[in-house]
Amino acid sequence: MPLLTWLDESTDERPGAVRVDDRSLSWVELRRAAGAVADDLRGVRRVAVSATASLETVVGVVGGLLAGAAVVPVPPDAGPVERDHILRDSGAEVLLGPPGPDGVADPPVVPVDLARRSDGRHAEPDPAATALILYTSGTTGAPKGAVLSRRAIAACLDGLADAWAWTPDDVLAHGLPLFHVHGLVLGVLGPLRLGSRLHHVGRPRPDRYAAADGTLYFGVPTIWSRIAAEPAAARELRGARLLVSGSAALPEPVFAALADLTGHRPVERYGMTETLITVSARADGPRRPGTVGVPLPGVRTRVVDERGAALPADGDAMGELQVRGDTLFDGYLDRPDADAATRTADGWFRTGDVATVGPDGWHRIVGRAATDLIKSGGYRIGAGEVEDALLAHPGVREAAVVGTPHPDLGQQITAYVVGDGLGEAELIDFVARQLSVHKRPRQVRLVDALPRNAMGKVQKSRLTEG
């Protein structure tokens, strides 16, 4: 079966199958435009795509996949050093899109012309062939290229179709970047495999989501928080079928606000660049704030302690989440050392995330082991629980909690808070009244904003720099 099954087989020439901002193509137009790009790429093994939120990016990525090339999305806002690293490290032979700034040595540039068409056919590559090389934003060192096969992407999308009852009757609306798993694999390749129409709204503003008329909406917590803060926009989503949140934990107050304003309890899911999506709540099941559901078909998970011993599925035991299954990547490009560090001797992938699993199989992600599991005075404390407690205060707009060195406790709970008219002692007492006393912050720092990456994740390592 072709990776892009629907696109490969559709004869639908009706306009508007794939829309980005105010431009669109039918299924047939998209296949023929991408076919023209694929013709240009015959014999190319790896192709970089300047991944702007545009139809050109969609056509370029699809053209690369039709040609059987490994596609390397390049963030459009990448600085010269990051851009040069991605292009050189990936070995991209061609760049689809505009050239980079002066002084950056790009490979040969081929523009994507949406007016060109081709009916040429290209053989479907082996399912084990590389589809994408996505560069991860690690906390140390230069980004690494995660190699994702066509088989892994297909397994992920088919699993989500099962979990979310995702069909050709859906209209997917989102405004996510097109160089990550969420926006590109789920948000573009998903419709092209499963047949739902796609409306990428451009900049992900609440008014654009409200006007998109989708049945299925994707967003990150930052987007959902902004939508919840504009009740008129949120109420326009009542006609949707499913709201999906991912890429970071959705704060419980935002979950509650969306449920009240839209009539929908959001579906949360969990995944990484290296694993694609592995765990999700289901469209036909409950949605519980603070949890991400159960493993997708074909995925297995376990939680282990520091020695690698399995922990009980009792909803309380916190340990590293490890996964295995058909959605996993093939490794880091030319980095066998990094590969070895992520795999256990018995073949499981180490996510580096801390989680609990309940008796019913429901997963709760505590956060990254390096930043979100705080060991203070002999207690193991999840940063997310303290963040949710802070966000329940009416004056708190954003909160991030980390462990910082303490001479007696080992680590102390330090909170960074964005809000109005707040005092440190007030917030410490507020948390202590909700949670165990040992979970209260020892220090609260009031800041104007929290540092975030393109997907809205708080970059906690930057909070403690300097």
Side-chain angles (χ1 to χ4, degrees), residues 425-457:
E426 173 193 2
L427 291 175
I428 292 172
D429 290 343
F430 182 79
V431 173
R433 290 195 299 271
Q434 298 180 73
L435 305 177
S436 302
V437 172
H438 68 267
K439 296 179 180 179
R440 74 190 187 282
R442 294 271 174 163
Q443 185 178 57
V444 174
R445 297 183 179 180
L446 302 175
V447 296
D448 293 331
L450 301 178
R452 296 180 183 272
N453 65 14
M455 294 302 290
K457 292 183 182 179

Side-chain angles (χ1 to χ4, degrees), residues 40-423:
D40 292 338
L41 297 178
R42 287 186 187 276
V44 171
R45 293 177 57 249
R46 295 175 186 167
V47 56
V49 178
S50 182
T52 58
S54 67
L55 269 180
E56 283 80 3
T57 294
V58 175
V59 170
V61 169
V62 174
L65 293 175
L66 292 181
V71 176
V72 184
V74 180
D77 60 350
V81 172
E82 180 185 4
R83 179 187 175 94
D84 184 66
H85 169 73
I86 292 173
L87 293 173
R88 289 179 182 275
D89 187 74
S90 68
E93 301 155 58
V94 172
L95 172 65
L96 298 179
D102 292 342
V104 176
D106 286 341
V109 175
V110 175
V112 175
D113 182 356
L114 297 183
R116 294 179 61 212
R117 300 285 189 270
S118 171
D119 291 316
R121 303 297 290 182
H122 297 258
E124 178 70 14
D126 189 292
T130 300
L132 298 173
I133 302 174
L134 299 183
Y135 276 77
T136 63
S137 53
T139 55
T140 59
K144 301 184 292 292
V147 178
L148 294 164
S149 71
R150 302 172 79 94
R151 177 186 291 124
I153 291 171
C156 172
L157 295 175
D158 292 347
L160 292 177
D162 176 79
W164 298 344
W166 189 354
T167 74
D169 293 329
D170 279 309
V171 177
L172 171 61
H174 71 87
L176 299 167
L178 300 187
F179 48 89
H180 287 295
V181 167
H182 199 167
L184 179 59
V185 176
L186 278 58
V188 172
L189 303 188
L192 305 190
R193 180 171 179 82
L194 305 174
S196 65
R197 285 180 292 155
L198 167 63
H199 181 183
H200 191 289
V201 302
R203 293 183 61 82
R205 300 198 313 251
D207 61 315
R208 294 189 177 191
Y209 268 58
D213 198 26
T215 64
L216 179 61
Y217 285 83
F218 290 171
V220 297
T222 301
I223 293 173
W224 292 125
S225 178
R226 291 171 181 170
I227 290 172
E230 296 193 19
R235 292 189 185 99
E236 290 296 319
L237 305 186
R238 282 185 168 270
R241 183 178 67 80
L242 207 64
L243 311 183
V244 179
S245 182
S247 298
L250 184 68
E252 292 191 23
V254 177
F255 184 105
L258 288 172
D260 179 57
L261 293 166
T262 70
H264 298 287
R265 294 169 67 82
V267 161
E268 295 187 68
R269 87 299 183 279
Y270 167 79
M272 303 174 64
T273 302
E274 294 89 342
T275 67
L276 300 176
I277 307 304
T278 53
V279 179
S280 179
R282 295 181 59 87
D284 58 359
R287 298 93 185 260
R288 304 171 186 169
T291 62
V292 294
V294 297
L296 293 179
V299 174
R300 295 167 58 197
T301 66
R302 70 182 184 186
V303 174
V304 302
D305 64 17
E306 289 92 341
R307 298 180 301 277
L311 292 170
D314 58 7
D316 293 318
M318 287 189 292
E320 183 189 37
L321 179 66
Q322 298 181 352
V323 302
R324 67 187 308 168
D326 295 337
T327 68
L328 266 64
F329 77 141
D330 289 336
Y332 295 111
L333 184 66
D334 299 329
R335 290 290 304 275
D337 56 329
D339 287 342
T342 66
R343 311 281 180 163
T344 66
D346 54 350
W348 292 75
F349 176 78
R350 308 174 192 268
T351 68
D353 284 325
V354 177
T356 67
V357 180
D360 57 0
W362 274 69
H363 290 55
R364 179 172 66 89
I365 306 301
V366 176
R368 297 297 292 170
T371 56
D372 292 305
L373 181 61
I374 301 168
K375 300 175 182 177
S376 181
Y379 294 101
R380 293 160 63 90
I381 302 155
E385 184 179 15
V386 184
E387 290 163 357
D388 283 340
L390 286 164
L391 288 166
H393 189 288
V396 174
R397 295 198 301 275
E398 298 180 88
V401 168
V402 297
T404 55
H406 188 278
D408 179 45
L409 300 172
Q411 287 184 308
Q412 70 173 12
I413 300 173
T414 299
Y416 294 80
V417 172
V418 179
D420 302 306
L422 301 171

